[in-house]
Amino acid sequence: MAAVYQALHRRVSSLVCRLHSTYVRKMRYLNQLKEDDSLCRQAQTSGTFYLFHNLSPFLQKVGKKYLVPQLSTAEMKGILEKFQEAEQWIEKSVLIGCSDEHRPHFALDLGALDKSVIESELQGSFTDLRKALFVVDGKDSSLLASAQSLLRWHDSHQYCSKTGQPTQKNPAGSKRVCHASGVTYYPQMSPVVITLVSNGSRCLLARQPSFPPGMFTALSGFCDLGENVEEAVRREVAEEVGLEVESLRYSLLGVPALAFPQQLPDDRLPCSGGGPAGRDQYGHPGTGGSPLVWPGGDCGGSQEGAQLFKARRW
């Protein structure tokens, strides 16, 4: 009897914890916004907005800090009224999350509007996401990367691959529908591997010609169909720098969203120069440190420019 009581107590306690979980309530609320179009439209009137211009996020510099402003619907309409298209632009926003208090967050790309007018009105600037990720708070960087990925997906999936007809997004931006064929498209993720190739105290970095001077990267690439992540690592290293990986070790220090997938798949790009450097010599964009390390990129299938670098700890 005591065992039955304990089992029942554990089950009830688990149920109570789930019902009172902030995370569970947030996820269920976000799912409601994705499934209920009228509820999402209503949420747009009380939500906050992150602005982008051609996929570059809007930042404000306050003292030495860079902030990512969250604009209210009223502030958004005040800006958009200058272009006489307020309501139409609000509908183009996409849902990217919500606060613990269930205040929804949306992202909106205003790339078709005059950037200078918006920057002047809001006292800030649209900044390349690569630079922004180094200067904003950690929680904002993850949200910006996710928002840009979703905005990019909508920009590149405006037509149905079956009929060629325009697709239409739902208010939350969680899907696009071709009404001519009835096909529904959802944002998809492609599995990607990133690896730091090492040999004792040295590691292997490479660079593309398109990288800023002094910037290097670890090796990465997409998984092929039917390929597991270990096979993908071995293949990418062999393709990129002509080496065979002997052993693999996982280092799960956190898995960030991939904000720049368009850089990875092009194996036609040759690698360009490199040079030895210790870890203490690596800097951040804009600091003057050299070389710069960018976490993940495709060096293009050539051994030229891929160098073994000394590293104290990685």
Side-chain angles (χ1 to χ4, degrees):
M1 187 66 181
V4 174
Y5 174 79
Q6 290 176 356
L8 181 61
H9 177 72
R10 286 196 299 268
R11 186 170 183 179
V12 171
S13 298
S14 177
L15 178 60
V16 171
C17 288
R18 290 199 299 269
L19 289 175
H20 288 82
S21 168
T22 300
Y23 176 78
V24 170
R25 293 200 304 270
K26 283 177 59 175
M27 294 305 104
R28 288 185 171 180
Y29 174 65
L30 288 173
N31 187 63
Q32 287 180 327
L33 295 181
K34 294 175 182 178
E35 298 297 327
D36 190 330
D37 291 351
S38 61
L39 182 63
C40 187
R41 290 191 181 94
Q42 181 180 350
Q44 288 174 341
T45 64
S46 60
T48 60
F49 292 81
Y50 291 79
L51 295 188
F52 287 75
H53 193 279
N54 292 328
L55 301 178
S56 294
F58 181 79
L59 305 183
Q60 290 176 331
K61 188 175 182 181
V62 180
K64 295 183 178 180
K65 293 184 177 181
Y66 287 87
L67 304 179
V68 185
Q70 300 178 34
L71 276 67
S72 67
T73 305
E75 291 173 319
M76 280 298 308
K77 289 183 177 181
I79 296 296
L80 295 173
E81 282 174 355
K82 297 180 179 297
F83 302 95
Q84 300 179 347
E85 297 177 341
E87 296 301 330
Q88 296 91 325
W89 277 102
I90 295 293
E91 294 176 358
K92 295 180 181 180
S93 63
V94 296
L95 178 69
I96 58 174
C98 73
S99 66
D100 291 344
E101 295 75 27
H102 292 189
R103 189 175 190 186
H105 302 318
F106 296 90
L108 178 61
D109 195 301
L110 303 176
L113 303 182
D114 189 336
K115 179 172 67 173
S116 61
V117 174
I118 303 171
E119 291 178 331
S120 176
E121 184 71 20
L122 296 177
Q123 298 296 301
S125 61
F126 291 98
T127 307
D128 184 271
L129 184 60
R130 294 175 183 84
K131 297 179 181 178
L133 293 180
F134 281 98
V135 297
V136 300
D137 186 79
K139 61 180 180 64
D140 287 326
S141 63
S142 177
L143 199 60
L144 290 180
S146 298
Q148 195 210 57
S149 296
L150 186 55
L151 290 170
R152 185 190 300 277
W153 181 82
H154 280 284
D155 184 60
S156 61
H157 288 76
Q158 297 184 31
Y159 295 90
C160 177
S161 60
K162 184 177 181 179
T163 65
Q165 296 298 311
T167 58
Q168 183 177 359
K169 83 172 188 68
N170 66 330
S174 59
K175 61 185 177 182
R176 298 189 72 91
V177 178
C178 173
H179 295 290
S181 64
V183 176
T184 300
Y185 296 92
Y186 295 94
Q188 296 180 340
M189 293 182 61
S190 299
V192 172
V193 295
I194 178 171
T195 182
L196 185 65
V197 181
S198 63
N199 180 14
S201 63
R202 300 183 298 171
C203 66
L204 182 69
L205 301 178
R207 58 175 280 108
Q208 288 185 12
S210 61
F211 284 4
M215 178 175 282
F216 297 87
T217 176
L219 305 179
S220 63
F222 290 105
C223 295
D224 283 346
L225 292 175
E227 186 178 54
N228 62 37
V229 292
E230 293 85 0
E231 292 168 340
V233 168
R234 290 189 169 94
R235 175 184 54 76
E236 283 291 338
V237 173
E239 291 176 353
E240 298 291 338
V241 294
L243 295 177
E244 183 175 352
V245 175
E246 293 182 352
S247 61
L248 294 175
R249 179 168 58 89
Y250 286 90
S251 180
L252 299 178
L253 303 178
V255 184
L258 183 64
F260 312 105
Q262 71 281 4
Q263 290 189 347
L264 295 180
D266 192 351
D267 286 332
R268 298 169 296 175
L269 296 175
C271 289
S272 61
R279 185 187 182 197
D280 56 350
Q281 292 178 265
Y282 289 90
H284 296 281
T287 65
S290 178
L292 310 177
V293 180
W294 184 253
D298 188 341
C299 74
S302 170
Q303 294 187 56
E304 297 180 6
Q307 303 288 335
L308 283 173
F309 291 79
K310 283 193 174 184
R312 295 179 179 176
R313 289 183 183 178
W314 295 87

